[in-house]
Amino acid sequence: MLDFIYQTGWGAFTLMLLFQIPFLLIFPYIVYRKSFVNAAPSHTDPRKLSRLETVWLIVAITLFIAANVYSINYMPMVRTAATESSAAVIQDVDVTARSWSYEISNRQFEVGKPVRFSVKSVDTMHGFTVYHPNGKILFNMMLIPGLEKASSLVYTFTEPGKYKVRCLEYCGIAHHAMQDELTVVESGS
Ligand SMILES: [Cu+2]
């Protein structure tokens, strides 16, 4: 059960829905009741208004659910599970974070080959965030110290280049200096 909640996109989605349910029940009820009590300053028939509001609510809820279901496959843990079950070879990399540097077992990868980053922190909260050469964040891991198992995430680089690694969890005086770099080369080179 806990694995389902923490390791899958569907778990996160279910949990999020549970938080929404009280709101989804109470809010339409308040809107419905109010539409009969306070018609001023509009002279529109409040019953008509409440019908419009019902339609709007249904549209909003449908869009909300559809956007969440559609984007589930973009969540890193869902992609990781999919790659782990389908890839023939996954390259393993161990990363240890400590104030204020990373120990990385391998810093060079090939385009198109899935890499499993197994990352842990040995002292305090750190981040392991990998940036595309164009400055966009590709993925971000939050590292909680004291866990028995390293957290892992599978990522497949699609372009060669220099990929910056930065810590995005404030971890002390030299947090800003906690950086590293990965190199991705064309496959076969
Ligand atoms: Cu930091």
Side-chain angles (χ1 to χ4, degrees), residues 7 73 75-88 90 114 154:
Q7 313 268 307
N73 286 331
M75 294 184 79
M77 59 264 221
V78 178
R79 278 198 178 175
T80 292
T83 316
E84 277 178 336
S85 63
S86 67
I90 296 179
V154 176

Side-chain angles (χ1 to χ4, degrees), residues 3 20 39 49 72 82 91 108 125 135-136 146 172:
D3 274 1
Q20 300 289 335
L49 262 185
I72 262 178
Q91 186 180 357
Q108 182 160 322
M125 195 85 124
K136 281 190 181 155

Side-chain angles (χ1 to χ4, degrees), residues 19-179:
F19 285 119
Q20 300 289 335
I21 282 169
F23 171 79
L24 291 178
L25 293 178
I26 295 166
F27 182 68
Y29 178 72
I30 293 174
V31 169
Y32 178 76
R33 287 301 298 267
K34 277 211 148 184
S35 67
F36 291 104
V37 175
N38 182 14
S42 158
H43 295 293
T44 319
D45 178 7
R47 275 165 212 281
K48 241 188 218 161
L49 262 185
S50 101
R51 212 172 305 139
L52 241 170
E53 270 166 347
T54 309
V55 171
W56 157 241
L57 257 182
I58 291 171
V59 169
I61 291 168
T62 310
L63 277 178
F64 172 77
I65 291 176
N68 275 282
V69 170
Y70 176 76
S71 59
I72 262 178
N73 286 331
Y74 293 96
M75 294 184 79
M77 59 264 221
V78 178
R79 278 198 178 175
T80 292
T83 316
E84 277 178 336
S85 63
S86 67
V89 188
I90 296 179
Q91 186 180 357
D92 273 297
V93 180
D94 291 311
V95 181
T96 305
R98 58 168 55 87
S99 302
W100 291 280
S101 63
Y102 298 99
E103 210 173 277
I104 305 178
S105 64
N106 181 12
R107 286 180 172 79
Q108 182 160 322
F109 312 104
E110 282 184 18
V111 166
K113 286 196 180 158
V115 183
R116 185 190 289 113
F117 292 95
S118 297
V119 190
K120 62 176 194 287
S121 163
V122 292
D123 46 24
T124 182
M125 195 85 124
H126 291 294
F128 181 75
T129 309
V130 176
Y131 287 73
H132 188 275
N134 70 11
K136 281 190 181 155
I137 290 176
L138 295 176
F139 63 86
N140 170 45
M141 298 169 81
M142 187 173 87
L143 314 172
I144 300 163
L147 294 183
E148 276 177 35
K149 241 180 78 189
S151 317
S152 65
L153 182 144
V154 176
Y155 190 82
T156 309
F157 293 97
T158 57
E159 287 168 70
K162 303 269 183 204
Y163 289 68
K164 274 254 171 290
V165 175
R166 290 193 181 99
C167 171
L168 291 192
E169 297 292 329
Y170 182 69
C171 56
I173 190 103
H175 161 67
H176 62 282
M178 194 161 167
Q179 300 189 16

